[in-house]
Amino acid sequence: MADTVLYELSDGLATITLNRPEAMNALNIATKVALRDAVQAAATDDAVRAVLLTAAGDRAFCVGQDLKEHIGLLAEGSTQVMSTVREHYNPVVRALTEMPKPVVAGVNGVAAGAGFGLALAADYRVVADTAGFNTSFAGVALTADSGISWTLPRVVGPGRAADLLLFPRTVKAQEAYEWGIANRLVPAADLHAEASKVARALAGGPTVAYGAIKESVAFGSSHSLAETLEKEDELQTRAGASEDHAIAVRAFVNKETPKYLGR
């Protein structure tokens, strides 16, 4: 794996760190390949019970596509210019949103374009008070990618999503918190510690139940009530049969703190 993306697994938590702080963690091809491979590895590894996606430095979480590389590829007439959505962004976003385990984004600075999309693909966002979010796409005559046309309206509503996509501007941290883009707002100096704390708590939790919650919410957002009730029945049956449910019930009766196994 390229050193532009770091991967660490400890106590059930896979920490994936974008590591190009000198380029504001912009996504060149090598970084996109490494990120895709890291996220897919975490999604399929049973030892991983939660994922923390964060970035090095204090200026940016990720400013999206590396435009310096992009300009060169355009000049060359490279087919990689537009295939990157299919080959890189789509697999990353699907792995983040579909893996049956919680994903936390630790947003340490600016998240723009695909960087905003990556943050929205997480289940929970811990955001530094110096961070900001910008769709950016229309500013360079492009449309939305990295799943943002699906995730953003579900977080802020279709009206606000249209405004942010058509008239890109930076949504500062406090406004992002008020709109639900940020789930937890923390001082910048505490970002990495707080994001790790949240992610480690989830890594020690009932993984099967968390996976079912993700699936249930995603299903309910695009299906009828009747269909969603059927899905809830299916998923509750799965969660109820898990070892963690039995552990939780015994701990509740005995007034103890449950120690989950993630299965």
Side-chain angles (χ1 to χ4, degrees):
M1 188 174 296
D3 61 6
T4 55
V5 175
L6 306 179
Y7 187 96
E8 179 185 0
L9 175 58
S10 174
D11 298 325
L13 175 63
T15 301
I16 301 172
T17 305
L18 296 171
N19 190 39
R20 295 188 72 210
E22 75 288 349
M24 299 185 76
N25 296 307
L27 299 168
N28 60 9
I29 291 173
T31 303
K32 287 180 284 190
V33 170
L35 177 62
R36 180 193 63 197
D37 293 350
V39 172
Q40 290 180 335
T44 57
D45 186 351
D46 290 339
V48 175
R49 293 172 57 186
V51 172
L52 172 60
L53 177 62
T54 189
D58 56 10
R59 296 173 61 208
F61 172 72
C62 174
V63 294
Q65 181 75 28
D66 186 329
L67 292 182
K68 290 182 179 179
E69 181 186 71
H70 188 73
I71 289 170
L73 293 172
L74 282 173
E76 296 169 7
S78 173
T79 59
Q80 290 181 303
V81 171
M82 290 297 106
S83 65
T84 195
V85 172
R86 180 179 65 256
E87 294 178 5
H88 305 123
Y89 294 146
N90 290 356
V92 169
V93 170
R94 290 198 63 173
L96 290 171
T97 57
E98 294 176 2
M99 69 171 73
K101 55 196 84 173
V103 177
V104 175
V107 183
N108 53 308
V110 176
F116 193 180
L118 292 175
L120 288 172
D123 303 298
Y124 197 91
R125 287 166 291 281
V126 181
V127 176
D129 58 6
T130 54
F133 300 85
N134 195 316
T135 62
S136 296
F137 299 106
V140 289
L142 288 174
T143 183
D145 62 30
S146 61
I148 206 168
S149 57
W150 191 90
T151 53
L152 186 60
R154 284 163 170 77
V155 173
V156 303
R160 282 175 170 165
D163 181 48
L164 293 178
L165 286 164
L166 292 171
F167 302 99
R169 65 178 179 85
T170 297
V171 179
K172 295 184 179 180
Q174 181 60 43
E175 186 178 15
Y177 178 70
E178 293 168 359
W179 283 13
I181 296 170
N183 298 100
R184 189 174 301 196
L185 194 62
V186 301
D190 300 336
L191 184 279
H192 289 295
E194 189 65 22
S196 294
K197 179 181 177 182
V198 170
R200 289 196 180 279
L202 291 169
T207 311
V208 175
Y210 290 153
I213 288 169
K214 285 186 65 166
E215 186 176 346
S216 181
V217 171
F219 185 92
S221 68
S222 57
H223 290 79
S224 69
L225 173 60
E227 291 169 319
T228 301
L229 290 172
E230 289 294 324
K231 174 60 71 171
E232 286 182 346
D233 175 49
E234 171 196 329
L235 295 173
Q236 195 69 292
T237 300
R238 183 195 306 170
S242 69
E243 290 185 52
D244 282 344
H245 175 61
I247 289 170
V249 171
R250 285 196 301 269
F252 180 83
V253 170
N254 295 324
K255 299 182 179 179
E256 298 172 343
T257 301
K259 295 181 180 180
Y260 295 115
L261 301 176
R263 56 180 187 264

